[in-house]
Amino acid sequence: MSETAASADLYSAIEASAGLLDVPCSREKVWPVLNAYEDALASAVIAFRVGTGERYTGDLDWRFSVPQHVDPYAVALAKGLTEATDHPVGTLLADINERCPIDSYGIDFGVVGGFKKIYAFFAPDGMQRLSTLIDIPSMPISLAENFDFFARYGLDADKVNVFGIDYRHRTVNLYFGGLPAQCLEPETITAMLRDIGFPEPSEQMLKLGGQAFGIYTTLGWDSPEIERFCFSVMTPDSVSLPVPIEPKIEKFLDGVPHDSADGRFIYYAAMSATGEENFKVQSYYQWQSRMQGQMLLSDSDEQQGKRDS
């Protein structure tokens, strides 16, 4: 397999980051991914992500972007990074691409778990309506069944800026940007969670929600219910938000290789129907300024998050 300087440097960073979490990292697991997408790595956005709770124990996720002309799922199949399936999850990305203009893609891999997710990024001026997504044949019916909920809070029209497909768990994530200000108020956050049958959020969750630049929900094919509800918060300081950090994760954040020109972090605060709250933190190894517009985020938003913590 070929080994470019960029790929070798990235592998070293992945190996070092995994070591901070005592997560095993092998060339046999990671290098096929680098080889498959090596042409995209030099200009990619690259990040490492770790989470709290049992669901995320024992692995380190790393994610990177690929340009519009690359079909990331086709590459993953062709290179043996995942197996073909006749489940609708296997055709969903192609179905979206036929109906929605995709600006770029993102891919999630676990150092241990391998291929996990693909993200379709829509341009800031081309965010998608729920009605368009609902009409896609392979889309989970749970999206249509929750349309009234999303519409009630102003999330039905041109608000989906990223769509994620989790091939392992066979679920999808809808990321909403350009949120109505009301969606971030404590009373509205509580009402939204109550409407989907979730328990009352903690004060910590409400505080993080008030600083969010986006929210996302998880839905699947096997249940009509929204499975997870999450807030995305950006900060220039990994310790500036009121998030419980386990010692191992704190060690990771202190030592993870990151873009020296841009030290921002993203926190994801997620809640499930059981009331369990989990937190994920993402550090950027390689940032690209184009993501600023993609996230509908300004520098003032980041500074506000720091001041409000």
Side-chain angles (χ1 to χ4, degrees):
M1 289 180 286
S2 62
E3 182 169 324
T4 65
S7 296
D9 289 347
L10 178 54
Y11 177 79
S12 296
I14 293 169
E15 186 176 48
S17 300
L20 294 169
L21 297 166
D22 298 323
V23 169
C25 177
S26 70
R27 291 181 66 88
E28 291 75 17
K29 176 73 72 170
V30 174
W31 201 261
V33 182
L34 299 176
N35 187 60
Y37 298 98
E38 64 179 347
D39 291 343
L41 294 178
S43 59
V45 177
I46 304 172
F48 301 132
R49 192 190 72 179
V50 65
T52 64
E54 185 176 349
R55 179 185 177 97
Y56 306 103
T57 299
D59 206 352
L60 167 68
D61 286 348
W62 60 288
R63 47 181 52 183
F64 56 92
S65 62
V66 296
Q68 179 188 42
H69 67 270
V70 176
D71 183 334
Y73 188 56
V75 172
L77 290 172
K79 297 296 185 178
L81 303 177
T82 190
E83 296 182 356
T85 176
D86 56 7
H87 187 277
V89 73
T91 59
L92 183 54
L93 186 65
D95 286 348
I96 293 173
N97 198 19
E98 286 181 2
R99 293 162 177 81
C100 308
I102 294 175
D103 189 64
S104 62
Y105 298 97
I107 314 174
D108 260 9
F109 283 87
V111 173
V112 174
F115 176 78
K116 293 184 177 182
K117 297 181 182 180
I118 288 177
Y119 303 89
F121 293 91
F122 307 119
D125 59 355
M127 293 194 291
Q128 295 300 303
R129 302 178 65 89
L130 285 188
S131 57
T132 301
L133 298 173
I134 285 170
D135 286 342
I136 293 174
S138 53
M139 187 67 62
I141 190 65
S142 54
L143 179 55
E145 291 174 339
N146 286 284
F147 177 83
D148 289 345
F149 164 75
F150 292 117
R152 190 176 308 131
Y153 294 100
L155 301 176
D156 55 319
D158 301 327
K159 293 296 182 183
V160 180
N161 63 333
V162 184
F163 189 93
I165 305 172
D166 187 326
Y167 292 88
R168 174 167 302 179
H169 295 105
R170 294 182 172 177
T171 57
V172 301
N173 293 334
L174 279 84
Y175 293 75
F176 298 92
L179 301 174
Q182 184 182 1
C183 285
L184 304 182
E185 296 175 358
E187 297 81 6
T188 306
I189 292 172
T190 301
M192 293 173 78
L193 293 170
R194 185 184 301 123
D195 281 359
I196 58 175
F198 282 29
E200 296 286 307
S202 66
E203 287 299 318
Q204 178 176 257
M205 185 66 70
L206 290 174
K207 187 170 184 178
L208 286 169
Q211 301 174 36
F213 67 87
I215 61 176
Y216 77 81
T217 58
T218 302
L219 304 101
W221 282 267
D222 298 331
S223 168
E225 308 297 334
I226 292 175
E227 297 182 13
R228 295 175 67 78
F229 194 97
C230 180
F231 298 99
S232 304
V233 184
M234 183 168 279
T235 174
D237 181 357
S238 66
V239 297
S240 67
L241 295 178
V243 176
I245 298 297
E246 301 165 9
K248 186 176 290 188
I249 294 180
E250 187 173 4
K251 176 185 175 183
F252 169 81
L253 294 176
D254 286 341
V256 62
H258 64 274
D259 191 328
S260 59
D262 202 305
R264 70 188 74 207
F265 296 81
I266 289 184
Y267 282 96
Y268 299 94
M271 188 172 181
S272 69
T274 64
E276 180 184 12
E277 296 181 358
N278 293 115
F279 304 92
K280 295 173 282 186
V281 61
Q282 178 170 304
S283 174
Y284 286 91
Y285 170 77
Q286 184 169 287
W287 173 259
Q288 302 289 350
S289 60
R290 64 179 183 269
M291 290 303 294
Q292 194 84 2
Q294 178 67 64
M295 293 178 176
L296 308 176
L297 185 71
S298 67
D299 287 331
S300 61
D301 292 326
E302 297 173 41
Q303 295 303 321
Q304 184 65 38
K306 188 171 183 179
R307 287 194 299 269
D308 289 345
S309 61

